[in-house]
């Protein structure tokens, strides 16, 4: 007789009356870094998603762990749908930077999203403009439920204002937004300050030109006033 641990466990092949051994599945918990690696995300992005409720986590003392089932769920979201790599720069003089963005996104996709159908979209225009041609195409694809994941290099590539509206739209269609280089977490005051400066820069640029002396002076003045309020 062999060891009991090697007894036949298939109900279709065991003899009547023999015991059935059922192995309990271990619910493995992953550290933030390990979960981020398997998802192809930055650990900061994973922590933000946990905080926002997009990833379920298990408290473990002062830390948290991500169940493997959560990782499998997130990876499974993009099955059968497009991975969109999106890049943007403000002006034609930054075309070289746009090429660098796309190259980084494609290199990441080849490593972290093998076998996923990929679409590359890019725009040259202000992050405050909602009329960018390929940005509009991206939103249309999302609304048609053809996009599983969107990858960008920096947080402001999709928009410089109203990011929360996009996140709500993406959540409705179960779209994952991946930022390769997420910035440090900001307070609500810092976020509002950044939005205000972006608006001033955009509208003053329309009045005087994005590189004009008046535009730069106006933005510098606004920064000084905001800095004085923080002191």
């Amino acid at each position: 007789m062999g060891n009991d641990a090697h007894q036949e466990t298939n109900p279709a092949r065991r003899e009547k009356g023999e015991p059935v051994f059922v192995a309990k599945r271990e619910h493995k918990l992953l550290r933030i870094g390990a979960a981020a690696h398997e998802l192809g995300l930055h650990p900061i992005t994973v922590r933000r998603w946990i905080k926002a409720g997009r990833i379920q986590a298990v408290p473990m003392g002062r830390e948290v762990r991500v169940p493997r089932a959560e990782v499998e769920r997130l990876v499974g979201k993009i099955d059968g749908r497009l991975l969109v790599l999106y890049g943007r720069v403000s002006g034609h003089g930054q075309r070289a930077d746009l090429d660098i963005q796309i190259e980084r996104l494609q290199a990441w996709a080849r490593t972290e999203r093998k076998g996923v159908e990929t679409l590359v979209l890019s725009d040259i225009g202000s992050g405050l403009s909602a009329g960018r041609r390929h940005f509009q195409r991206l939103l249309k694809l999302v609304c048609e439920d053809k996009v599983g994941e969107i990858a960008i290099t920096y947080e402001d590539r999709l928009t410089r204002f109203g990011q929360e509206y996009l996140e709500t739209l993406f959540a409705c269609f179960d779209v994952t937004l991946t930022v390769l280089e997420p910035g440090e977490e900001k307070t609500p005051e810092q976020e509002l300050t950044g939005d205000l400066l972006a608006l001033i820069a955009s509208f003053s640029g329309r009045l005087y030109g994005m590189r004009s002396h008046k535009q730069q002076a106006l933005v510098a003045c606004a920064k000084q006033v905001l800095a004085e309020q923080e002191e």
Side-chain angles (χ1 to χ4, degrees):
M1 293 291 290
N3 191 295
D4 287 346
H6 298 288
Q7 290 190 35
E8 179 62 63
T9 59
N10 187 338
R13 298 177 60 184
R14 66 185 177 87
E15 296 294 332
K16 185 176 180 181
E18 289 186 357
V20 178
F21 297 93
V22 180
K24 293 183 178 180
R25 183 179 178 182
E26 181 183 358
H27 297 282
K28 188 171 182 180
L29 301 176
L30 303 177
R31 292 179 179 273
I32 296 295
H37 176 74
E38 294 199 19
L39 291 169
L41 302 175
H42 194 284
I44 294 178
T45 301
V46 174
R47 292 185 185 279
R48 285 183 176 178
W49 287 11
I50 292 173
K51 186 177 181 180
R54 295 180 63 182
I55 296 179
Q56 299 299 316
V58 179
M60 299 282 288
R62 295 183 178 181
E63 300 180 4
V64 294
R65 298 287 188 272
V66 179
R68 179 167 293 282
E70 276 293 280
V71 173
E72 294 172 353
R73 178 182 68 84
L74 289 168
V75 171
K77 282 184 179 181
I78 64 175
D79 290 347
R81 294 188 291 169
L82 290 170
L83 164 62
V84 178
L85 310 178
Y86 182 83
R88 179 191 66 81
V89 291
S90 298
H92 290 277
Q94 299 172 301
R95 191 177 293 274
D97 179 63
L98 182 59
D99 291 339
I100 292 173
Q101 288 182 42
I102 299 303
E103 288 174 3
R104 289 189 59 199
L105 289 166
Q106 289 177 323
W108 170 83
R110 285 194 296 269
T111 302
E112 305 295 341
R113 297 293 186 268
K114 293 179 180 178
V116 178
E117 185 177 357
T118 302
L119 174 65
V120 178
L121 298 177
S122 64
D123 284 306
I124 297 177
S126 170
L128 291 171
S129 172
R132 286 168 276 142
R133 183 165 64 94
H134 284 132
F135 177 68
Q136 287 291 323
R137 182 184 175 188
L138 170 60
L139 297 182
K140 185 173 183 293
L141 289 171
V142 169
C143 293
E144 292 173 349
D145 199 24
K146 295 179 178 179
V147 178
E149 183 175 14
I150 300 168
I152 53 179
T153 52
Y154 299 100
E155 291 178 336
D156 64 352
R157 295 304 86 188
L158 281 176
T159 182
R160 292 292 302 274
F161 187 74
Q163 179 77 19
E164 60 274 15
Y165 300 123
L166 286 181
E167 291 177 354
T168 299
L169 173 67
F170 297 158
C172 289
F173 288 92
D174 216 14
V175 176
T176 299
L177 176 62
T178 299
V179 183
L180 300 193
E181 294 291 339
E184 296 181 359
E185 292 192 26
K186 298 179 180 179
T187 65
E189 292 77 11
Q190 289 173 324
E191 291 181 352
L192 288 173
T193 297
D195 289 342
L196 177 58
L197 288 173
L199 287 171
I200 293 173
S202 177
F203 286 106
S204 62
R206 293 182 186 181
L207 284 173
Y208 307 117
M210 291 301 294
R211 297 174 181 268
S212 71
H213 175 72
K214 287 185 178 180
Q215 191 263 357
Q216 293 176 9
L218 184 57
V219 173
C221 180
K223 288 181 178 179
Q224 182 179 355
V225 171
L226 292 170
E228 291 174 352
Q229 291 180 345
E230 292 177 357
E231 294 179 353

